[in-house]
Amino acid sequence: MKKSNWLVAALAVVASAVLLGLWFQLGFNHVDDPVDIIVAVVWWAVVAGVIAAIMWAEHRRREKMRLAFIGAGLVYNPERGLVLVDEKDAELDALQETLQNMSYPTKIVELADHVRPAFRWVVRSQRFENNGEVWEGEVLPAHDPDGKPVRFSGRDELAHLIAA
């Protein structure tokens, strides 16, 4: 999650705790109905739900940012843009380096209208952790977006799939 999301969540939790503490400290628990504590519990559930929704949305956004298109001698990623690769069969190395150095910005680098490279594969990396030690996702041919994606688990499986 972004720092501002954590700040809002922490502020809501602290405000809830302070208000509940004041409710007991000022003796309102002796005067008011127990409905007030139910309202506080519902508020905590709402805060927890909002935090969970923010974390889920951020996870999905990061997963979409790890999308990559691979062609002969080039890799496109929404964060880094188009990366040209000089060495033969080094697309996978360029993709791994791109995923290792991701900062997940809110802006994406779009392809220019006049640039239309021929991509062979679309790689969706659901998990990429520890510099590629944990790398899971799916690959599908770029020319068939409705095709059945093939799952991979690790760099070696991905290399085998895109070499075919």
Side-chain angles (χ1 to χ4, degrees), residues 14-86:
V14 168
S16 297
V18 166
L19 290 174
L20 183 63
L22 283 173
W23 186 70
F24 279 108
Q25 190 68 23
L26 295 174
F28 289 132
N29 59 326
H30 299 295
V31 177
D32 290 338
D33 292 331
V35 173
D36 291 341
I37 194 72
I38 294 171
V39 170
V41 170
V42 168
W43 171 250
W44 293 337
V46 167
V47 168
V50 167
I51 291 170
I54 289 171
M55 290 177 68
W56 177 80
E58 181 65 14
H59 174 75
R60 296 287 296 160
R61 186 186 75 80
R62 286 176 177 242
E63 190 175 298
K64 287 180 182 178
M65 289 296 287
R66 287 191 296 265
L67 175 73
F69 296 88
I70 299 178
L74 51 93
V75 174
Y76 172 77
N77 173 270
E79 178 178 321
R80 192 152 175 207
L82 194 60
V83 177
L84 300 175
V85 182
D86 294 334

Side-chain angles (χ1 to χ4, degrees), residues 106-135:
T106 54
K107 293 181 74 175
I108 65 170
V109 178
E110 296 183 14
L111 283 174
D113 289 336
H114 64 282
V115 176
R116 292 288 173 226
F119 295 115
R120 293 182 298 168
W121 302 103
V122 177
V123 179
R124 297 180 187 140
S125 300
Q126 275 96 19
R127 289 184 64 199
F128 185 86
E129 299 168 1
N130 299 331
N131 293 330
E133 290 178 24
V134 177
W135 193 354

